[in-house]
Amino acid sequence: MPEGHSVHRIARQFQRNFVGKTLQASSPQGRFAEGAAVLDGREALQAKAVGKQMFLEVEGELWLRVHLGLYGAWDFSGEILVDPTIASANGRMGQTNQRGTDLDEAIFDDAGENSLSSIGAPRRARVHVRMSEQTSGLADEGDQWPPPVVGQVRLRLLTDITCADLRGPTACELQTPDEMLATVARLGPDPLVGDPAEGEERFVRTVRRKATPIALLLMDQAVISGIGNVYRAEMLFRARLNPHTPGRDVPEEVVRELWRDWVKLLAIGVETGQMMTMDDLTPEQYRAAMAHRDDRHWVYHRAGLPCRVCGTEIALEEIGARKLYWCPSCQR
């Protein structure tokens, strides 16, 4: 499932490429036809992410709420902001990019754009995505515009130069301002939304009064926003915390460290587009980690392999219907 960093990056694309422009909206699949008809012809006013959900405001006091869920993704084409991770995914954003980013193949211009921090820079590059079950790729300037619809597109949003196709979301709906605020109010704090210090206090208060295992609390979007299976496993290992520890039994300082680690990791994820959870890597190790998941994480997806720290076999179990990876020795 896409985790918080991906959704924040998607919101940046909408903020940069769609806000201030009149939208052409359609539902090629037909499942969002009524909503698309309401959106069509309205100006996009702002885009923001809270945890795993994105909200796009349009004129007329209306919000589009999208939750990608397990299978959702946005495919961007036309003129969009790119960095090496977006380029390696051929414009697709949302689904966890575990295939990695090959920095050796990244193209840099004379101004140093297309760097890992340039997703918010004013440079634009023309990217087009040809979707099929097996293939996608970068296209040239001569390709058809608007791009042909391929597959099950729930919602297409189009400007004169940019296209966004939404496929497979868990939720895609229109909300009034009050409904949008009510949705956000039900979500836990997000380090990139509001005051991080207030978010920390809210997170600490919630965790410290719960008997629920900390592994489940970190995945509860009402407790903290944006953390998914990958970040959950990695954060617990980085804290050397047993995932079965009840929240109320986790020392307050450790709970605060978890929040501050999420602040750090989320920022790295937004910048790089990858869930980079290992620190102090050499340049060679960093390039390998960006390119391959096996070199990027401490415990995630490493069941049966030796712990990178102590050599103990990484354990795999199911908790809350999701896979949990952890080191029984380091995380006592």
Side-chain angles (χ1 to χ4, degrees):
M1 178 181 292
E3 304 197 26
H5 72 295
S6 293
V7 185
H8 278 286
R9 285 167 63 85
I10 291 167
R12 285 189 179 191
Q13 288 287 5
F14 274 98
Q15 188 68 31
R16 194 53 175 246
N17 297 298
F18 288 84
V19 167
K21 296 189 175 184
T22 299
L23 302 176
Q24 297 178 47
S26 62
S27 180
Q29 179 192 59
R31 293 183 59 185
F32 193 62
E34 292 184 7
V38 174
L39 289 172
D40 190 51
R42 297 182 188 238
E43 180 183 342
L45 301 180
Q46 66 169 311
K48 64 180 182 179
V50 182
K52 299 179 181 181
Q53 303 196 42
M54 191 197 79
F55 302 87
L56 177 66
E57 184 184 15
V58 299
E59 62 180 331
E61 297 189 324
L62 192 65
W63 290 82
L64 170 68
R65 178 179 81 92
V66 174
H67 188 344
L68 293 176
L70 283 171
Y71 305 109
W74 286 98
D75 288 305
F76 290 95
S77 54
E79 294 193 8
I80 65 170
L81 293 164
V82 292
D83 63 15
T85 300
I86 295 171
S88 71
N90 296 311
R92 168 155 284 202
M93 298 181 70
Q95 291 177 334
T96 301
N97 181 20
Q98 294 288 13
R99 68 180 177 178
T101 301
D102 189 343
L103 297 182
D104 291 325
E105 294 184 0
I107 300 173
F108 299 86
D109 64 16
D110 293 338
E113 304 291 2
N114 201 21
S115 68
L116 286 174
S117 60
S118 69
I119 187 172
R123 176 178 176 272
R124 296 173 184 267
R126 191 166 188 79
V127 176
H128 179 68
V129 183
R130 289 190 295 268
M131 290 303 305
S132 70
E133 291 300 320
Q134 293 86 21
T135 62
S136 64
L138 299 180
D140 58 32
E141 295 287 337
D143 277 2
Q144 178 181 341
W145 185 260
V149 175
V150 179
Q152 297 298 307
V153 176
R154 182 79 56 87
L155 172 64
R156 165 168 282 196
L157 296 176
L158 187 69
T159 72
D160 56 337
I161 58 174
T162 307
C163 178
D165 284 340
L166 174 64
R167 293 176 169 84
T170 292
C172 175
E173 65 172 354
L174 299 181
Q175 293 187 323
T176 66
D178 287 343
E179 289 170 337
M180 183 276 293
L181 291 174
T183 298
V184 172
R186 291 192 292 269
L187 298 174
D190 181 323
L192 296 180
V193 180
D195 184 348
E198 293 180 4
E200 177 177 332
E201 296 304 322
R202 181 181 166 195
F203 174 64
V204 171
R205 286 195 305 269
T206 302
V207 170
R208 293 280 291 159
R209 67 169 182 259
K210 298 279 190 179
T212 307
I214 187 64
L216 291 177
L217 291 175
L218 289 182
M219 293 277 281
D220 186 341
Q221 298 304 298
V223 174
I224 186 169
S225 283
I227 296 175
N229 218 27
V230 180
Y231 279 126
R232 185 262 301 272
E234 294 295 292
M235 289 172 61
L236 289 173
F237 179 82
R238 288 163 64 93
R240 301 299 192 268
L241 183 58
N242 187 304
H244 300 287
T245 308
R248 64 189 180 192
D249 293 340
V250 180
E252 179 177 330
E253 186 52 40
V254 176
V255 180
R256 294 187 182 278
E257 289 175 2
L258 284 170
W259 170 263
R260 293 165 189 171
D261 201 33
W262 178 224
V263 173
K264 174 182 177 180
L265 293 178
L266 179 58
I268 293 172
V270 172
E271 176 186 341
T272 66
Q274 298 287 6
M275 289 179 277
M276 179 68 70
T277 57
M278 300 183 72
D279 300 316
D280 302 321
L281 301 178
T282 66
E284 293 75 15
Q285 290 172 331
Y286 183 81
R287 293 175 102 71
M290 285 294 294
H292 304 288
R293 175 181 61 195
D294 293 344
D295 298 309
R296 192 182 310 144
H297 302 313
W298 290 104
V299 295
Y300 180 75
H301 215 261
R302 301 192 72 247
L305 297 176
C307 173
R308 297 185 190 274
V309 174
C310 73
T312 301
E313 184 176 297
I314 298 299
L316 170 62
E317 63 183 88
E318 188 172 289
I319 181 171
R322 299 296 301 276
K323 292 180 178 179
L324 171 66
Y325 301 85
W326 64 295
C327 174
S329 179
C330 289
Q331 296 174 251
R332 292 182 178 179

